[in-house]
Amino acid sequence: RSSLRVLAPILFAAAAAEVLIATGAGLASDRSWSFLLNHFVVTNAVIGGSLAVSGLPIAWQRARNPIGWLLLAGGVCYAGSAAAFSLLAWGSHAGDDRPPWRLIATWANVSWPWAIAFCVPMILLLFPTGQFLSRRWRWTLPLALLNAILFAAIALFPRESLAADLGVAQVGKSAARGHR
């Protein structure tokens, strides 16, 4: 149990680092504030940071309560999307086919669906005790997990995505040649 407790500040630090990366890379990029805002960098960083700040004390003090862990995981996923997109806006270019940028583009597109399709619904279903209201609600766990898997999988394939707006292809896709 105490070893699990050590994971809470690590996840918090990861989310905080992602928020700092999103801020630094966003400011260092040649993209405007409205561009970053319209591509969810600002909102995802704020939501990710807020979830992580909320999750840390719960996971630290009540390691057996899944709500703290779900808040931290959601924070890492949301802030990760903001950080990845900001890094792409700062360091890549349209048609960039280098593997590190493709991996970052993939993370930008698939990280936030996990937060919105799994973490947040499960937080709401388990609040406030960390347990379902009754055993009858347990079916929602595999449904939420399946929903997150499908949502993240769909985020891998669309022609229009956050990373595609910068002209950087995800892993397994060819880079966009005709960037707007």
Side-chain angles (χ1 to χ4, degrees), residues 103-125:
L103 188 60
I104 292 169
T106 302
W107 181 244
N109 291 333
V110 302
S111 60
W112 67 270
W114 284 97
I116 202 167
F118 182 75
C119 295
V120 172
M122 292 311 302
I123 290 164
L124 295 172
L125 286 166

Side-chain angles (χ1 to χ4, degrees), residues 43-130:
T43 54
N44 284 355
V46 169
I47 293 169
S50 299
L51 290 172
V53 165
S54 301
L56 177 62
I58 299 170
W60 181 260
Q61 293 296 321
R62 306 272 188 249
R64 297 185 70 154
N65 188 328
I67 293 173
W69 300 108
L70 288 165
L71 287 164
L72 284 167
V76 168
C77 289
Y78 262 118
S81 178
F85 187 84
S86 290
L87 284 171
L88 291 171
W90 167 71
S92 69
H93 59 273
D96 204 331
D97 223 10
R98 294 176 288 175
W101 294 120
R102 292 170 67 102
L103 188 60
I104 292 169
T106 302
W107 181 244
N109 291 333
V110 302
S111 60
W112 67 270
W114 284 97
I116 202 167
F118 182 75
C119 295
V120 172
M122 292 311 302
I123 290 164
L124 295 172
L125 286 166
L126 297 172
F127 187 80
T129 64

